[in-house]
Amino acid sequence: MHACARSVILGVVVIALSASVSGALVDDPALHDFEFPLVYDSSEPVRTTVKFEQSGFARGSALPGDWFVQEGPRTGHLHAAYGGDLFLTDDIADADQATALARDFLVSQEELLGTNPGNMEFRNVLEFKGRYAVHFRQIHHGVPVYRGDAWVVITDEGKVAAFGSDFFPERHAIPMHPTMNESDAIAAAAQSINAVPRTDRPIDASLSYVPAPSGELLELTLAYRVAFEAEAPFGRWLTWVDARSGAVLGRTNEYHAVNVVGTVASEVEDYGYCDGVTTDQLAHVAVSVSGGGTGNTDENGNFDISHAGSADVTVDAYLNGPYINVNRYSGLGADAHWTGTATPGTPLQIGFNSSNARRDEMDSFFHGNRVHDFMKGVDPSFTSLDYSMTTIVGRSDGYCPGNAWWDGSGMNYCDEGSGYGNTGQMGNVVYHEYGHGVSQEWYIDNGSSLSSGDMHEGNSDILGAFVNRESIVGLGFYLGNCTSGIRNSDNTLQWPGDNNGGHYGGQIIAGFFWDSWQSMLAMYSQADADTAAWDAWHYGRGMGTPHAQDDQVLWTFIADDDDGDLNNGTPNHSHFCLGATNHGFTCPEILTGVIILHSALPTMEAGGAPVSPDVTAVITSSSSTVDPLSLRVSYSLNGAPLVEVPMTATGNPDEYSAPLPTMGGTAEVEYFIYAADMAGNERTDPSTAPSTMHAFDVVHLYDDLESGSGGWTVGLASDGATTGQWELADPIGTQAQPEDDSTPAPGTMAFITGQCSGSNCWSGCSLGCNDIDNGETTLLTPIYDLAGASNVKVKYDAWYSNNTGATPSTDYWVVDVSNDGGSSWTNIVNTNVTNASWTSYSIDIDALFGTPDQVQVRFVGSDLGSGSLVEAAVDELRILADYGATDADEVVSAAAPAFSLSQNRPNPLNGTTRIDFSVPGAMGVDLTVYNVSGQTVKRLAIGNRDAGAYRVEWDGRDAAGTKVAAGVYFYRLTAGEKVLTRKMTVTR
């Protein structure tokens, strides 16, 4: 266990013992006592997923194809169904046609769904990636039914991908007329908690039907939904009042309170006060010119305001703009303000710092704009939060100290006090609170609303994690504790057992997205992983507006789907399924299609001897049988065009293998697997192949640093760095330094610039912990004797962070290479550009020096400026070097004969035999011996061959060197698209 991990555990213990009950961790217990949910919302029912024919619905209905269904236990209707093979039309032209088809389909399934034309009202349609999610709300005599929703997802090809209903049964005549008016309902709601509604904020009352207790059943009851804000008890209270009796049916506080950690700009703390003050550019700042115009800075902090004349002018800037408007709480004085004189045409430097702004003002403005811009990057059409959002800092009322909250239209942050940090100085808190606004408005945009509770909190946590790539919520919430926070999306909580509603239960859905995202990041590029995770999160919520965590998981798969058939998986099914199973959710079962289970080949060390790797996979089909003739591996060797190699059975159940060419000390390989079944289903692994392929190197020398630092040199006498010197360690991550090394599991070790630990850092494992300070630190590889080799490349993985601190991007990451054992050096990398992710780099020694000799690489990290935070890491050193040809076959002729394969001689074989073959042009070749069961016995020749005639000999031994048994064998030559097979006999 890391030292830092131990300190986190101890920190939790200390918090548990010392936290005062008077300060709310997230919710004020006294206010919480006023809350109680509608019975309908009190606990989400557990829904099991079964095949349609195994469900009770199958008795009276039929659906074409293989459908999986979930029952709605409280409604008796089919809650959700996916899979199947049902087309409503050939193709869909637009959303209007999709809506009409969806309505007709729902009406046709009234028995399953409770949908009839008289109780359906169109709610919304959202188009995403060739699919239309169409929703209808349940109404009764023109009044909406709470959470009454029926929906269909239709592909643009007219296929029903999924559908379901939460329409509540109308068992008998329901009273249609209230006995009280809206004013009476508001008065009843306020009186029930002795509150005085604020008249300067909106007060709403509207009629709905809600499922409420009636004897042993839930029946639709006419009720007012009343919403108002009050100072005492503090909050925005949503109350359901029975419209006939005046009884309160349920009440929640819609002020979404939370605590998290953050990032800042101008003089800012990025990602929070735990990480120290840096200087950054502020986007979206309002700037005004006396006698001129006004404007806002762009994303780089620049502004350009039209002005006539050349005389000096007065310029004013405030921490407000089109998206965030920061205000100090009452009694804290005037808001942040910069004023100065400018000469038109001469660039003006405007700076907010402690002389003209509070830390929480600068931080909350910076982070509020950052999360706004993040959401615009995910969905540019999401405009519902494009207003100057009121953000109040330094509050000492309400939930304070130790909290923050979303009040329905803006954000509020508590001042430091009673052992709690200032939440306006925590970027992750800002992202979380803004996330409540995203949830609120995204659901409204799609015709629904999301109640307070675990769904609000969990999705706000995951938005915070997405923005700053940190699973811990609330670092620094307890003043000075920068290790443990208050919640963590990286958890093992299970649905539904660990869901107690609210913040704690929200960690389950946050864990689902965190685990899924991390799995994608390990497989894909960061950009591809981010797009896949963020789109599925955002658009899944928009398409389905789910109210329960298990529903959101299903809608995530629906959003990720690309062909309207969840039964054959989705592009990122394995990653989302990992996240789902980690937290007790159900994955849509892959019912049809091909399934490929394969572990990607790792780096291989040849050491001058040839390497002959096999690609092995377990391949099955859930709806048919695998087509053995379809199975193949396509590979590219050293950037050459793809070559196909057939896969054959290994003898193990459903396992197939294909040989890759024999390779010497220099090989860079990319490959993917293709398989099909007899029903025509196809699959590749990776699923995005050939645009994304597995990749590995065969190398002359491989050092993953797992066995120690033998031969490496750490530090030179000339180095001046006082902290952050190179060391070999299992990294403890910060926002600037990796948590893991670059070697696939179970690898752990890498060279890093200073290990983080509590003894080195007052704040534990946080940004800037034991980073490079006050000079350079140098790391040198051993000297590698590569004389006589050709095609030499040195490859390594590196991480470099230099974008934080008071003077970011002022220091340089330097990589040099020597061909004479360190006597002279050639610079390869000299950059101040951050790349805070493990990335592979390659040095072409032949291109640099012509003749490789005594090769050494030098890595230099430095902090020579004032106050920047610099971290670097190195791992996975590979040397590719070619020491000669390794082909096993003899070139007989370089002429261009016809494609041919001779009968082996002698035949039968009793000792050795000779096989001749020829190819008419340059192509990939595979000559392999098989037994009568089709299992591979020995590969005799494989790889690219020029036109010509070739000869191989076989000694009658298999790949393990064991003599084969007497009997009949086959040998097959595959070259390009042509295949020739011959039979031979072995005697003993």
Side-chain angles (χ1 to χ4, degrees):
M1 177 184 293
H2 290 142
C4 183
R6 287 194 293 270
S7 70
V8 169
I9 293 172
L10 291 173
V12 171
V13 174
V14 171
I15 289 168
L17 293 175
S18 63
S20 169
V21 296
S22 64
L25 173 64
V26 174
D27 296 312
D28 184 331
L31 297 179
H32 190 68
D33 289 343
F34 289 111
E35 298 185 78
F36 65 99
L38 287 168
V39 172
Y40 191 67
D41 289 336
S42 59
S43 62
E44 288 294 331
V46 176
R47 291 181 284 265
T48 57
T49 303
V50 298
K51 289 187 176 181
F52 180 76
E53 58 269 21
Q54 298 171 346
S55 71
F57 299 114
R59 290 191 297 269
S61 302
L63 289 172
D66 294 311
W67 291 87
F68 284 90
V69 299
Q70 299 174 353
E71 181 181 4
R74 290 183 300 203
T75 67
H77 292 143
L78 193 154
H79 173 72
Y82 56 84
D85 189 24
L86 177 62
F87 284 82
L88 302 181
T89 187
D90 291 337
D91 58 71
I92 294 179
D94 53 32
D96 289 340
Q97 183 184 7
T99 300
L101 288 169
R103 177 184 290 276
D104 291 344
F105 172 75
L106 291 173
V107 170
S108 73
Q109 301 298 326
E110 180 179 354
E111 185 173 354
L112 291 176
L113 307 174
T115 48
N116 64 67
N119 69 355
M120 292 171 56
E121 179 181 80
F122 173 71
R123 198 186 90 188
N124 78 297
V125 56
L126 177 65
E127 181 183 5
F128 176 61
K129 291 185 177 180
R131 285 154 297 156
Y132 297 88
V134 188
H135 289 259
F136 295 85
R137 63 167 52 90
Q138 183 180 6
I139 59 171
H140 183 74
H141 294 285
V143 177
V145 175
Y146 177 68
R147 289 183 59 175
D149 181 48
W151 53 273
V152 188
V153 177
I154 310 174
T155 71
D156 55 9
E157 296 174 336
K159 183 179 182 181
V160 175
F163 66 95
S165 170
D166 286 318
F167 274 29
F168 201 82
E170 301 171 7
R171 293 189 175 93
H172 54 72
I174 303 169
M176 295 180 294
H177 303 292
T179 58
M180 57 171 33
N181 58 31
E182 294 179 0
S183 297
D184 295 335
I186 294 169
Q191 184 178 0
S192 68
I193 53 174
N194 293 320
V196 177
R198 290 179 54 176
T199 56
D200 61 332
R201 301 298 295 269
I203 301 174
D204 301 315
S206 59
L207 280 173
S208 293
Y209 281 102
V210 299
S214 177
E216 296 180 351
L217 300 175
L218 292 178
E219 299 283 2
L220 290 182
T221 300
L222 192 62
Y224 280 102
R225 180 187 184 276
V226 178
F228 61 81
E229 294 182 55
E231 291 296 331
F234 187 72
R236 183 175 189 269
W237 298 99
L238 170 61
T239 308
W240 293 94
V241 178
D242 190 308
R244 296 178 64 82
S245 69
V248 174
L249 304 176
R251 184 190 303 112
T252 57
N253 190 341
E254 291 202 313
Y255 273 6
H256 294 288
V258 71
N259 329 277
V260 201
V261 67
T263 313
V264 190
S266 163
E267 275 193 1
V268 296
E269 297 161 319
D270 198 357
Y271 285 87
Y273 77 83
C274 290
D275 301 313
V277 176
T278 65
T279 299
D280 209 330
Q281 305 302 311
L282 286 184
H284 313 310
V285 178
V287 180
S288 63
V289 176
S290 63
T294 61
N296 301 302
T297 58
D298 62 16
E299 64 272 13
N300 298 314
N302 301 316
F303 62 91
D304 186 350
I305 300 173
S306 299
H307 178 76
S310 59
D312 288 354
V313 294
T314 300
V315 177
D316 293 281
Y318 302 88
L319 290 179
N320 64 55
Y323 310 121
I324 299 294
N325 179 10
V326 179
N327 302 153
R328 296 181 186 182
Y329 185 58
S330 175
L332 296 180
D335 295 342
H337 175 210
W338 185 98
T339 186
T341 302
T343 300
T346 301
L348 175 66
Q349 298 296 318
I350 295 177
F352 285 95
N353 51 50
S354 57
S355 69
N356 55 25
R358 286 169 53 105
R359 289 273 177 236
D360 51 8
E361 288 181 292
M362 296 182 283
D363 290 357
S364 60
F365 183 85
F366 175 76
H367 292 297
N369 280 293
R370 173 183 277 175
V371 66
H372 169 273
D373 292 350
F374 174 89
M375 284 306 307
K376 298 298 282 190
V378 174
D379 181 4
S381 68
F382 180 59
T383 60
S384 297
L385 294 180
D386 288 357
Y387 60 87
S388 189
M389 182 182 294
T390 298
T391 301
I392 301 176
V393 299
R395 296 195 71 147
S396 56
D397 63 332
Y399 291 118
C400 297
N403 232 311
W405 65 93
W406 169 260
D407 64 16
S409 60
M411 300 180 288
N412 302 265
Y413 300 104
C414 293
D415 211 344
E416 176 184 319
S418 301
Y420 298 104
N422 184 320
T423 53
Q425 293 179 249
M426 305 173 194
N428 195 250
V429 171
V430 176
Y431 309 148
H432 178 103
E433 295 306 333
Y434 193 92
H436 286 301
V438 172
S439 293
Q440 172 183 298
E441 297 303 320
W442 190 224
Y443 272 63
I444 290 173
D445 286 352
N446 288 285
S448 186
S449 62
L450 182 62
S451 300
S452 300
D454 53 300
M455 289 285 283
H456 246 295
E457 304 303 338
N459 281 284
S460 284
D461 279 359
I462 199 58
L463 176 57
F466 282 157
V467 176
N468 77 331
R469 300 180 180 276
E470 167 62 66
S471 66
I472 297 175
V473 179
L475 290 172
F477 174 75
Y478 295 100
L479 191 62
N481 185 316
C482 296
T483 56
S484 58
I486 56 173
R487 287 191 302 283
N488 197 334
S489 296
D490 188 2
N491 64 70
T492 58
L493 298 178
Q494 299 292 299
W495 174 267
D498 289 324
N499 183 35
N500 65 351
H503 299 83
Y504 182 83
Q507 293 177 107
I508 307 173
I509 192 66
F512 160 71
F513 280 105
W514 178 264
D515 291 355
S516 302
W517 184 36
Q518 297 308 300
S519 178
M520 293 178 202
L521 286 167
M523 177 71 73
Y524 307 149
S525 70
Q526 179 173 300
D528 289 344
D530 290 350
T531 297
W534 299 348
D535 279 359
W537 169 73
H538 178 64
Y539 288 102
R541 294 208 299 162
M543 293 174 72
T545 58
H547 292 270
Q549 294 188 40
D550 54 349
D551 282 343
Q552 185 171 356
V553 170
L554 176 58
W555 278 102
T556 302
F557 281 98
I558 292 173
D560 186 52
D561 183 39
D562 60 352
D563 64 358
D565 187 0
L566 289 184
N567 286 347
N568 65 6
T570 70
N572 301 291
H573 183 277
S574 62
H575 305 290
F576 286 121
C577 196
L578 172 69
T581 54
N582 282 354
H583 295 279
F585 299 110
T586 300
C587 302
E589 181 180 347
I590 298 180
L591 183 65
T592 61
V594 177
I595 303 171
I596 302 174
L597 301 177
H598 168 67
S599 296
L601 293 175
T603 297
M604 301 178 188
E605 185 176 79
V611 171
S612 301
D614 291 331
V615 176
T616 302
V618 173
I619 304 174
T620 58
S621 173
S622 55
S623 60
S624 182
T625 57
V626 170
D627 178 2
L629 298 179
S630 74
L631 310 182
R632 61 181 181 267
V633 172
S634 295
Y635 71 89
S636 170
L637 180 61
N638 297 322
L642 286 170
V643 176
E644 291 185 354
V645 181
M647 302 184 78
T648 57
T650 66
N652 296 322
D654 300 318
E655 186 179 77
Y656 300 86
S657 181
L660 295 181
T662 299
M663 293 170 273
T666 174
E668 296 170 285
V669 186
E670 293 182 298
Y671 72 93
F672 70 93
I673 301 170
Y674 172 85
D677 61 20
M678 295 299 188
N681 298 303
E682 300 175 297
R683 184 78 62 191
T684 62
D685 181 67
S687 61
T688 53
S691 60
T692 302
M693 294 188 282
H694 298 298
F696 70 96
D697 294 328
V698 176
V699 300
H700 171 67
L701 185 145
Y702 173 41
D703 192 347
D704 59 7
L705 300 175
E706 298 304 316
S707 300
S709 58
W712 290 70
T713 300
V714 175
L716 298 177
S718 59
D719 286 349
T722 56
T723 63
Q725 297 97 337
W726 286 103
E727 60 180 296
L728 183 64
D730 177 359
I732 297 175
T734 71
Q735 287 89 356
Q737 194 172 60
E739 166 63 22
D740 298 307
D741 71 336
S742 183
T743 307
T748 60
M749 306 298 286
F751 275 110
I752 59 173
T753 52
Q755 179 70 299
C756 172
S757 67
S759 62
N760 293 331
C761 307
W762 71 270
S763 59
C765 302
S766 62
L767 181 67
C769 176
N770 204 15
D771 71 312
I772 304 172
D773 284 321
N774 304 316
E776 297 180 340
T777 181
T778 304
L779 173 70
L780 295 103
T781 70
I783 298 172
Y784 302 106
D785 183 359
L786 298 173
S790 60
N791 300 322
V792 174
K793 292 182 180 179
V794 177
K795 301 178 76 172
Y796 62 92
D797 290 1
W799 170 298
Y800 177 59
S801 174
N802 182 29
N803 61 346
T804 55
T807 55
S809 303
T810 57
D811 294 289
Y812 285 79
W813 165 243
V814 176
V815 181
D816 302 317
V817 63
S818 172
N819 197 41
D820 54 15
S823 296
S824 61
W825 295 94
T826 299
N827 180 249
I828 302 300
V829 177
N830 189 6
T831 182
N832 63 348
V833 178
T834 291
N835 186 7
S837 62
W838 281 113
T839 303
S840 183
Y841 299 90
S842 179
I843 306 173
D844 190 331
I845 301 298
D846 291 48
L848 285 173
F849 303 111
T851 303
D853 198 353
Q854 308 300 303
V855 175
Q856 187 176 32
V857 183
R858 178 172 68 186
F859 305 97
V860 182
S862 64
D863 185 1
L864 303 174
S866 55
S868 60
L869 301 177
V870 182
E871 298 278 19
V874 172
D875 199 4
E876 288 287 288
L877 185 115
R878 294 95 75 199
I879 295 179
L880 290 79
D882 189 357
Y883 283 90
T886 59
D887 287 344
D889 48 290
E890 173 189 355
V891 180
V892 177
S893 170
F899 177 62
S900 66
L901 176 65
S902 71
Q903 183 64 51
N904 66 303
R905 295 181 183 180
N907 185 36
L909 177 157
N910 188 358
T912 61
T913 190
R914 185 185 72 210
I915 301 173
D916 293 330
F917 67 92
S918 62
V919 291
M923 61 185 63
V925 166
D926 174 28
L927 177 61
T928 303
V929 179
Y930 302 92
N931 62 24
V932 292
S933 298
Q935 297 169 318
T936 299
V937 175
K938 181 67 177 291
R939 181 179 58 241
L940 303 181
I942 191 165
N944 292 323
R945 299 294 186 274
D946 293 329
Y950 299 84
R951 175 174 296 163
V952 297
E953 290 191 350
W954 184 43
D955 60 3
R957 296 177 183 272
D958 63 17
T962 304
K963 287 185 177 181
V964 301
V968 175
Y969 293 82
F970 298 88
Y971 57 101
R972 180 172 65 188
L973 174 66
T974 302
E977 297 181 352
K978 297 182 178 181
V979 178
L980 289 173
T981 303
R982 298 283 185 265
K983 182 170 64 175
M984 75 170 80
T985 303
V986 175
T987 61
R988 294 299 184 203

